[in-house]
Amino acid sequence: MNILQRLRERFWFVPAVMVVAAVLLAEALIAVDELAILPTLPGWLDAVVYRVGANGSRDILGAIAGSSLAVAGTTFSITMAVLALTSSSYGPRLVRNFMADRGNQAVLGVFVSTFLYSLLVLRSIRALGDPGDPDAEVFIPHLAVNGAVVLAVLDIAVLIYFIHHISDSIQVSTIARRVRQDLHATVDRLYPEQIGHDLHVDTRLPDRLEEEAAPVHGARTGYVTYVDEEALLEAARSGDALLALRVVPGQYVLQDTVLCLVHPRERRDDKLAEKVRGAVVVSDARTPYQDVDFAVQQLTELAVRALSPGTNDPYTAVNALDDLSSGLALLAARELPSPWRAADDGVPRVHAPRPDAVSLTSDVLDHVRWYAGTAPSVMHAGLTLVRRVGRHAQDQALRARLLTQVRLLTEAFEGAGHQEHDVEVFRERADEVARGLARTGA
């Protein structure tokens, strides 16, 4: 994750860029007006570019600046209210999706940019008798004033868009879709097709790695959000060492947590340790960029919260499991990449394993058993998830774990106190899913 990608997830970044663009636009149009080229333009442009006096221009710009700032404050308040609602209803970790939403960022940026643009153009107007300089030359930037009017019309369109966008953004389907898209993007990024065939090695970690290697400890406390494997490869190559990562994105680390082991021990020095720490980025909050477990956890949390007694919304839980099945099925269809990374010389130098579909799918189905035992529709959605993932599973270990989960789901359903008819229906469906898994693995 480079600096630009990190900045794009900050709520202030897009508005800041738009504010800079507004300043440049205002100064450019004022400069064009100072060249006095407007009188040389065809007369029919008067129907498009209207001209008013200094007082009229000031009134127009003042009204646009005041109204745009007031609407910006209103939209910001609405956004904060939606964030609070989403945090309490769907989970605080989903707030990140609203903060990174380009629509919300652009809306705030348009209103703030209009305010600043109008203020800069207003400042450039000069008229006879102005306090402090009564002999000043009259200057009215007609093009720039018309630009402010165009921005005001754009503000109205943006306000209408914002009302629609914020209403749509709190829909369960929209929230789940955003997280599902993050999950798909992370799977494509970390588990690209055929990546497992890129490096054929029979290399194993040394048997006595812990005793023969030197540790590299973390520099701060927080979550591992990004691992720069290219930087680790370069560090390993320049130090002629083997680097075995002991953390994965999403893991919480302390300052004394071992980030990496350097083998052999004598190759570890301060320069190599600093390169390793620079390649393992630790932040205060998790992001799904390299943390596939975080994207899965967000949808799982959405399902679990929907099953709480205060909410009691099994349909939202079913919707979340459907979106989870989409991402997990995509992951199950990909071959797990080799944990080894090799430089241009072909020598494996970095060992960086990634989470597999077995652990991720099991975690989801465990939560279904723990929290959805009394919700038949959600338990059936769990079986549907097993069937969809099993249909795409490439790993025999994953199919075996799915068969175990089918048995555990059946036991949980039978022990939840449902009527015999419901138990029989669930048992028949579970047997059907199990037979499908057996055929897929044949």
Side-chain angles (χ1 to χ4, degrees), residues 6-19:
R6 297 181 199 173
L7 288 176
R8 290 180 61 188
E9 292 193 354
R10 300 296 186 266
F11 188 75
W12 54 265
F13 178 67
V14 172
V17 172
M18 298 181 72
V19 163

Side-chain angles (χ1 to χ4, degrees), residues 284-365:
D284 295 327
R286 299 172 69 178
T287 70
Y289 186 79
Q290 280 191 345
D291 187 0
V292 64
D293 184 57
F294 181 61
V296 171
Q297 185 187 86
Q298 285 182 297
L299 284 171
T300 305
E301 181 181 5
L302 182 62
V304 170
R305 278 181 169 266
L307 294 172
S308 64
T311 304
N312 193 24
D313 182 10
Y315 298 104
T316 295
V318 171
N319 188 78
L321 290 178
D322 286 340
D323 286 308
L324 272 169
S325 67
S326 172
L328 292 174
L330 178 65
L331 176 59
R334 304 289 174 85
E335 186 172 349
L336 185 66
S338 168
W340 291 99
R341 309 289 178 262
D344 294 337
D345 56 9
V347 178
R349 296 186 179 274
V350 175
H351 186 267
R354 292 174 180 171
D356 55 24
V358 177
S359 59
L360 293 172
T361 306
S362 293
D363 184 65
V364 172
L365 293 173

Side-chain angles (χ1 to χ4, degrees), residues 83 231 274 284 309 419:
L83 289 178
E274 285 303 315
D284 295 327
Q419 293 182 343

Side-chain angles (χ1 to χ4, degrees), residues 5 18 38 41 87 96 121 138 144 156 162 170 176 190 195 218 221-222 277 281 287 301 321 336 401:
Q5 289 167 330
M18 298 181 72
L38 191 59
L41 297 177
S87 177
R96 175 197 161 273
V121 176
V138 176
I156 296 175
F162 175 74
I170 60 176
L190 297 181
I195 190 173
T221 297
R277 294 190 188 102
V281 179
T287 70
E301 181 181 5
L321 290 178
L336 185 66
R401 182 65 62 87

Side-chain angles (χ1 to χ4, degrees), residues 130-141:
D130 281 346
D133 193 5
D135 298 326
E137 180 183 356
V138 176
F139 174 69
I140 304 173

Side-chain angles (χ1 to χ4, degrees), residues 166-413:
I166 206 69
S167 301
D168 177 68
S169 64
I170 60 176
Q171 302 295 320
V172 174
S173 58
T174 302
I175 295 173
R177 185 190 72 242
R178 289 175 178 173
V179 183
R180 184 190 71 231
Q181 290 172 345
D182 283 343
L183 177 57
H184 279 235
T186 306
V187 170
D188 286 333
R189 188 180 304 115
L190 297 181
Y191 307 87
E193 292 182 284
Q194 303 303 322
I195 190 173
H197 300 295
D198 289 346
L199 182 61
H200 293 280
V201 293
D202 296 325
T203 305
R204 294 189 310 164
L205 288 173
D207 294 333
R208 302 182 60 190
L209 178 65
E210 302 290 340
E211 293 81 6
E212 298 175 354
V216 175
H217 297 279
R220 59 163 297 183
T221 297
Y223 291 97
V224 177
T225 56
Y226 180 70
V227 175
D228 189 344
E229 295 181 355
E230 293 297 327
L232 286 176
L233 274 173
E234 175 57 28
R237 187 195 61 77
S238 61
D240 191 22
L242 168 65
L243 301 181
L245 279 182
R246 283 297 180 260
V247 295
V248 294
Q251 181 176 338
Y252 190 81
V253 298
L254 304 178
Q255 288 185 348
D256 60 349
T257 299
V258 176
L259 302 180
C260 178
L261 293 177
V262 180
H263 185 274
R265 177 184 295 271
E266 59 271 14
R267 302 291 169 77
R268 191 239 192 249
D269 54 25
D270 292 340
K271 183 178 180 181
L272 179 59
E274 285 303 315
K275 288 183 178 180
V276 171
R277 294 190 188 102
V280 181
V281 179
V282 179
S283 304
D284 295 327
R286 299 172 69 178
T287 70
Y289 186 79
Q290 280 191 345
D291 187 0
V292 64
D293 184 57
F294 181 61
V296 171
Q297 185 187 86
Q298 285 182 297
L299 284 171
T300 305
E301 181 181 5
L302 182 62
V304 170
R305 278 181 169 266
L307 294 172
S308 64
T311 304
N312 193 24
D313 182 10
Y315 298 104
T316 295
V318 171
N319 188 78
L321 290 178
D322 286 340
D323 286 308
L324 272 169
S325 67
S326 172
L328 292 174
L330 178 65
L331 176 59
R334 304 289 174 85
E335 186 172 349
L336 185 66
S338 168
W340 291 99
R341 309 289 178 262
D344 294 337
D345 56 9
V347 178
R349 296 186 179 274
V350 175
H351 186 267
R354 292 174 180 171
D356 55 24
V358 177
S359 59
L360 293 172
T361 306
S362 293
D363 184 65
V364 172
L365 293 173
D366 285 341
H367 282 82
V368 172
R369 287 190 295 106
W370 297 337
Y371 296 98
T374 59
S377 59
V378 182
M379 294 291 284
H380 279 277
L383 289 178
T384 302
L385 185 148
V386 171
R387 177 173 54 82
R388 291 170 177 168
V389 175
R391 185 185 304 164
H392 296 83
Q394 300 294 318
D395 186 8
Q396 186 62 38
L398 176 57
R399 298 191 194 97
R401 182 65 62 87
L402 290 175
L403 283 171
T404 301
Q405 287 292 342
V406 169
R407 177 179 57 80
L408 294 174
L409 287 171
T410 304
E411 292 176 358
F413 195 88

